[in-house]
Amino acid sequence: TCNIFRPPRSKHCNSCNVCVSKFDHHCPWVGNCIGERNHRYFFLFLVSIASLTILVTASCFRIVFQAYADLAVLPGIGPVYSDIVNGTESIEIATNESEEEDENSMGFGNRIQKLHRVWLALLSYPSIVIFGIFTLLCAWSLTSLTCFHGLIITLAQTTNERVRGVYRYGRHVNTADDGCPQNWITALCSKRPESLLPTDFSEVVLCDEIGNTLRDETIWNGVMSTSTPAPSERAQTGRSATSS
């Protein structure tokens, strides 16, 4: 770990190799940990991309529906019915005389007509249909994830605590829960804490006393030194949990 006393709700992330204050989760899609300093931006990011995928999906379906509507009536004539004659499709134009046909056959013909129009509309924009299905799946998953993060903001929890069931069955009391309105205000409008990450990740920190000697250790680059620093060199750098 980072050789520090971690504050409550913090956790060491093996992927980032830092301790994250109010650790939520490590997100591989953004390549960073989600914690106290960036959870509000991550939530707004989810809202944005979920809205975008919903908009794109609706636009794709709108284009296909418009193509379906354009096939409903040919210019200047009545509805179009499709029929299969000798293995090939033929088009029969419905005129006013077709109203005298049997109602059952008309109902069946209308169903065939609608299915045929749907098929032609889908074939008119194959790339848009494929893209719409893809964005629909993305919209479903992203909207679900956005709702989940809205839930944990409402409850003043983190993903890590929710998955582990820290507050389940009343085993622990969530002291950060101040009620739904205040939780949202705290999550989105509170002052962003300063980052505690060091500017130089190779700096030397003063570790605990081992064998009546003080050992300094360079922990960021994996190189360890066991020399005893002089009193003038024992300047503690004040490392603490980082706030992503």
Side-chain angles (χ1 to χ4, degrees):
T1 64
C2 295
N3 293 325
I4 62 170
F5 292 101
R6 292 194 295 269
R9 311 184 79 183
S10 63
K11 184 178 182 294
H12 182 82
C13 177
N14 293 326
S15 299
C16 298
N17 196 28
V18 292
C19 288
V20 181
S21 177
K22 197 180 176 181
F23 177 83
D24 190 85
H25 70 286
H26 180 85
C27 180
W29 304 110
V30 298
N32 194 16
C33 278
I34 308 302
E36 186 176 21
R37 298 185 70 245
N38 62 355
H39 187 261
R40 69 186 68 178
Y41 305 110
F42 179 74
F43 179 74
L44 296 177
F45 170 70
L46 288 179
V47 173
S48 300
I49 59 176
S51 302
L52 176 62
T53 53
I54 292 174
L55 177 61
V56 173
T57 302
S59 300
C60 292
F61 277 93
R62 180 69 179 85
I63 293 173
V64 175
F65 178 78
Q66 185 62 47
Y68 173 83
D70 292 340
L71 293 172
V73 179
L74 294 179
I77 57 177
V80 176
Y81 295 86
S82 64
D83 194 10
I84 306 298
V85 179
N86 297 327
T88 61
E89 291 186 351
S90 64
I91 303 298
E92 296 180 1
I93 300 176
T95 62
N96 293 332
E97 298 177 357
S98 64
E99 297 177 359
E100 301 176 357
E101 295 179 2
D102 184 76
E103 294 183 358
N104 294 331
S105 60
M106 280 290 293
F108 179 76
N110 286 334
R111 289 192 293 269
I112 295 298
Q113 175 203 18
K114 291 179 180 180
L115 291 176
H116 184 64
R117 282 163 49 193
V118 170
W119 179 248
L120 291 179
L122 295 177
L123 292 181
S124 299
Y125 301 97
S127 58
I128 291 180
V129 172
I130 296 174
F131 191 65
I133 295 175
F134 171 74
T135 54
L136 176 63
L137 297 176
C138 292
W140 177 268
S141 60
L142 290 171
T143 302
S144 301
L145 183 60
T146 303
C147 293
F148 172 77
H149 277 271
L151 172 65
I152 63 176
I153 290 176
T154 302
L155 300 176
Q157 298 181 10
T158 64
T159 300
N160 182 51
E161 294 170 344
R162 187 74 178 177
V163 172
R164 292 169 53 202
V166 174
Y167 305 113
R168 190 179 302 170
Y169 310 123
R171 292 181 296 183
H172 300 281
V173 178
N174 187 3
T175 57
D177 188 3
D178 297 323
C180 177
Q182 187 60 40
N183 291 341
W184 279 93
I185 293 174
T186 302
L188 300 180
C189 304
S190 62
K191 183 180 179 181
R192 187 188 184 197
E194 295 293 333
S195 175
L196 299 177
L197 281 172
T199 55
D200 183 8
F201 276 73
S202 63
E203 62 181 340
V204 177
V205 297
L206 191 63
C207 296
D208 296 334
E209 186 173 335
I210 300 177
N212 298 325
T213 61
L214 290 173
R215 186 179 68 174
D216 56 343
E217 180 182 4
T218 305
I219 64 173
W220 292 104
N221 56 13
V223 179
M224 182 179 297
S225 173
T226 57
S227 60
T228 302
S232 59
E233 298 176 353
R234 295 177 182 176
Q236 187 171 356
T237 58
R239 298 280 298 286
S240 181
T242 65
S243 302
S244 291

